[in-house]
Amino acid sequence: MKTRIYGGKLLTRPGVSQAAEGEVWIEDSRILMAGPADRKAAELAGPWDVEINASRCLVLPGFKNAHTHSAMTFLRSYADDLPLQEWLTRAVFPLEAKLTPENIYDCSRLAVMEYLSSGITANFDMYYEMPAAAKASEDCGFRTVFCGGVNDPYGSAEEITALLKDWYERLNGNHPLISFRLGFHAEYTTCAENLKAIAELAQELKAPVYTHNSETRREVKECVGRYGMTPTAYLDSLGMFDFGGGGFHCNYLSEEDIEIFRERKLYIVTNPASNCKLASGIAPLVEYDRAGIGLALGTDGPASNNCLDMFREMFLATALQKLSRHDASAMDAGRVLRMATEGGAMAMGLTDCLELAPGQQADLILIDLDQPNMQPEYHLDKNLVYSGSKSNVKLTMVAGKVLYENGEYHIGADPEEIYARAGRVLS
Amino acid sequence: MKTRIYGGKLLTRPGVSQAAEGEVWIEDSRILMAGPADRKAAELAGPWDVEINASRCLVLPGFKNAHTHSAMTFLRSYADDLPLQEWLTRAVFPLEAKLTPENIYDCSRLAVMEYLSSGITANFDMYYEMPAAAKASEDCGFRTVFCGGVNDPYGSAEEITALLKDWYERLNGNHPLISFRLGFHAEYTTCAENLKAIAELAQELKAPVYTHNSETRREVKECVGRYGMTPTAYLDSLGMFDFGGGGFHCNYLSEEDIEIFRERKLYIVTNPASNCKLASGIAPLVEYDRAGIGLALGTDGPASNNCLDMFREMFLATALQKLSRHDASAMDAGRVLRMATEGGAMAMGLTDCLELAPGQQADLILIDLDQPNMQPEYHLDKNLVYSGSKSNVKLTMVAGKVLYENGEYHIGADPEEIYARAGRVLS
């Protein structure tokens, strides 16, 4: 199938390139050409099965939501405004324990809908029952990189590594939209024996490892109490990051931790809305950026955020740096836009979803400039980051297929049914 | 003209009442009834000129954007990521000096469009050329309370008070959608003689006075240096607040300032997105609330924010309190929702725009619950504050007239023309 997107402005590498008129030509899931094209060339390159008029739109790679717990949509607005520990122990943990694979399938589809409405074309998901969540993405046509979320309740070191290996084999290479990275929930929920076994598996598979890291001061302090080292230093001492990986949150990295991230080429995925709402802190992104660490952006789960909206995250990623550093020039819009697109793709290992270029996956969005919050059009990248909204997302395409357009979802299921099923999980 | 809104859920007093099924009946600009109604009663109360089906929608009073500089849309994304002083002196001030009344008319209309798309039904606007801005609101059918923005460049004490008095007379009582409150730009831009004259005018008119107050540490420090008092204490010592009023921003009020605000029944209008983006600070809203001070919420101008979106402000109003107090339970969603509606109306003196109740103005919005970010529906107030988005705004009504519905504007002008005119201001 051949698709042509014409009449719009392209932002082929957000935060790096400038917007310019052009077309995107797509064959099946991949981009054939992205750039200036005259009518004659387009005719010669055709015939086209689908032609999309992008007039008055900005076309750019979709946002990569680099840290999520999709199925937690079932808990949205169920238990907010509670202290963190009470929220976890009284609301989250007991309710999660009741979830069935079917619940996880339903609630993951609800999250996918929300991703699409916010221009997100891929997510990096950590949750239980990954095969059920993978089926949700496959059925919707959405791209998901899964990340192991094991911790002590999953069993012994043998059981945990067997499970990770099983996921690694089942979720890699079997479906073009699904992949899997090694990972575990966090140092503070996983004992030394289990962590050592995961590190050994990483060595065996020569694979990168991802985990929640240094989200709160307490987490870092307790790890130092246990091992005499920060979470980053301790995990690295086990050989956990010999083949790369990354950390989610990373609000409290030490100088030594930053050096480990830099040396091991680990990615940092920041989650500013969640870190505000749960009162965890502000990640010093300017320092991380200065150290040359790869940065990505994520919403975290809908129970802690509560929305899955990359526009809110982009604004917060820069606004909180400005606020905490007392410097209105900190972390400019272009840098944030790059985090939300190319940065996320790099962190997730999606090296064919980096930009609008030949050979890359056709994971892209159309932003409607004909709305008051996008006017005037002096700096489209600043408009996106400082005043953009999901209401500007006109179309979201994953792997060459239009999954969302003008408020309508094309995901092979009825939205009403998905809402009803997600709403019944706790009843 | 009689309008009936049926089939939806009503949030008659956001943050106070719970959502319940009901209808809203409107005659011309006012609400006749808001509450439960059966089909028969609705038939008897008719015939209806307009019937609006609010099925799967939440109906609530519109948001009151209680601090704006509407016409600054012309500067959106023109000069971001600059240090505050450089931004003001190199970008804002020289460009503002070139604005014509016609520019202000055009750019104010662009802001009104954005307000409508975010469910805002009234704004509290401070800018130059108020009659031109008032014409923009009148022509669009939008409600605006203006606030004097005079400072030293406006001239002598006589000139300034004559201007304020002129606005006070021209903009009060002559159009149902327009009113005016006394005000000045800030203590730091207005000399003692001029401030004293404004205070005398407030005494003469027995009128409340509004101003930017304690936005930055530097502003407070410099005022203490000049007068040995904080801005609040100094202005109060002049009799400025004997008839009430309020302050915009108020990030750095002292204990004594808080006591003055409490005693004089002054309102605080907080502007969290602007305060982040310009690195000004976080207003301690929890303390202000505890002291019993009336709180309202505003976007500030589009050059400092950059969007005019009350959903972003609502999230930040609670998220920054949680973050700065290290307490995820601080400033709950209901409190924020009340700030954004009734709190704003009180601060602006719009006592007939407080709630959905008989006799009140029909300034209301319909929120589409049939979108993924509003599901599940456990707590609609939390959904609004923590995951709501302007994409959920289905309809915005001001004074009984539908000005925005399903992305279309009914403001007596072509959006494209407004965009084009606003985009030409700096060319």
Side-chain angles (χ1 to χ4, degrees), chain A residues 77 81 370 379 382-383 386, chain B residues 77 81 379 382-383 386 416:
Chain A
S77 299
D81 302 318
D370 253 356
H379 295 285
K382 293 186 195 292
N383 277 356
Y386 292 124
Chain B
S77 299
D81 303 318
H379 295 286
K382 293 184 195 295
N383 276 357
Y386 292 124
E416 298 299 317

Side-chain angles (χ1 to χ4, degrees), chain B residues 12 26 28-29 42 62 79 86 95 144 167 174 188 228 242 284 290 305 311-312 331 339 345 358-359:
Chain B
T12 55
I26 298 157
D28 299 328
S29 75
E86 196 180 332
L95 293 170
T144 298
W167 285 336
N174 287 321
Y188 64 93
D242 287 5
R290 202 174 281 154
N305 184 320
F311 289 96
R312 180 154 99 185
M331 189 55 72
M339 281 170 58

Side-chain angles (χ1 to χ4, degrees), chain A residues 6 51 57 59 89 93 102 107 112 149 181 202 205 241 260 275 319 363-364 401 414:
Chain A
Y6 68 96
E51 292 192 84
C57 286
V59 186
T89 56
F93 292 154
E102 198 186 359
C107 295
V112 166
R181 308 281 170 260
L205 298 170
F241 300 130
I260 292 169
N275 295 161
D363 287 19
L364 55 82
K401 287 194 182 141
D414 175 28

Side-chain angles (χ1 to χ4, degrees), chain A residues 315-427:
Chain A
F315 179 76
L316 286 172
T318 172
L320 295 177
Q321 296 305 301
K322 292 172 181 355
L323 180 69
S324 62
R325 303 176 66 83
H326 313 289
D327 175 6
S329 68
M331 186 58 69
D332 70 34
R335 183 68 192 88
V336 173
L337 207 48
R338 193 150 64 87
M339 282 171 58
T341 52
E342 189 179 306
M346 287 297 290
M348 296 156 74
L350 294 174
T351 50
D352 57 354
C353 299
L354 300 174
E355 57 182 311
L356 301 184
Q360 291 269 302
Q361 287 287 310
D363 287 19
L364 55 82
I365 60 178
L366 266 62
I367 294 290
D368 184 3
L369 299 174
D370 253 356
Q371 292 187 21
N373 65 332
M374 286 287 144
Q375 297 294 323
E377 299 174 28
Y378 298 123
H379 295 285
L380 294 177
D381 52 350
K382 293 186 195 292
N383 277 356
L384 278 172
V385 171
Y386 292 124
S387 68
S389 151
K390 59 200 299 185
S391 64
N392 299 108
V393 177
K394 190 179 167 65
L395 180 149
T396 306
M397 173 185 280
V398 177
K401 287 194 182 141
V402 176
L403 302 188
Y404 175 80
E405 190 174 10
N406 296 324
E408 302 288 324
Y409 298 87
H410 307 292
I411 54 170
D414 175 28
E416 298 299 317
E417 192 205 324
I418 293 177
Y419 299 154
R421 294 175 72 91
R424 278 200 298 269
V425 169
L426 292 182
S427 63

